[in-house]
Amino acid sequence: MGKGDLKTKRGKINRGTFGASRPKTAANKKTRRERMGLDKKD
């Protein structure tokens, strides 16, 4: 994992792209557990 790995934040910064590991805004950032629905409170 490093600059060439597009699935990591460092790789996204190096390439200048955005995605799940580097969202454009902090408000849109969800944790992996939230995306999977594991943090539901019953």
Side-chain angles (χ1 to χ4, degrees):
M1 288 198 250
K3 288 183 181 179
D5 188 2
L6 293 180
K7 292 193 179 268
T8 63
K9 186 174 182 177
R10 180 56 48 196
K12 298 279 185 187
I13 291 169
N14 187 50
R15 178 81 55 105
T17 59
F18 296 91
S21 57
R22 184 182 178 228
K24 285 192 177 187
T25 61
N28 292 338
K29 186 174 185 178
K30 290 184 178 179
T31 64
R32 180 176 167 272
R33 293 180 65 84
E34 287 172 340
R35 284 195 303 273
M36 294 178 71
L38 300 175
D39 285 344
K40 292 181 180 176
K41 295 179 181 174
D42 296 331

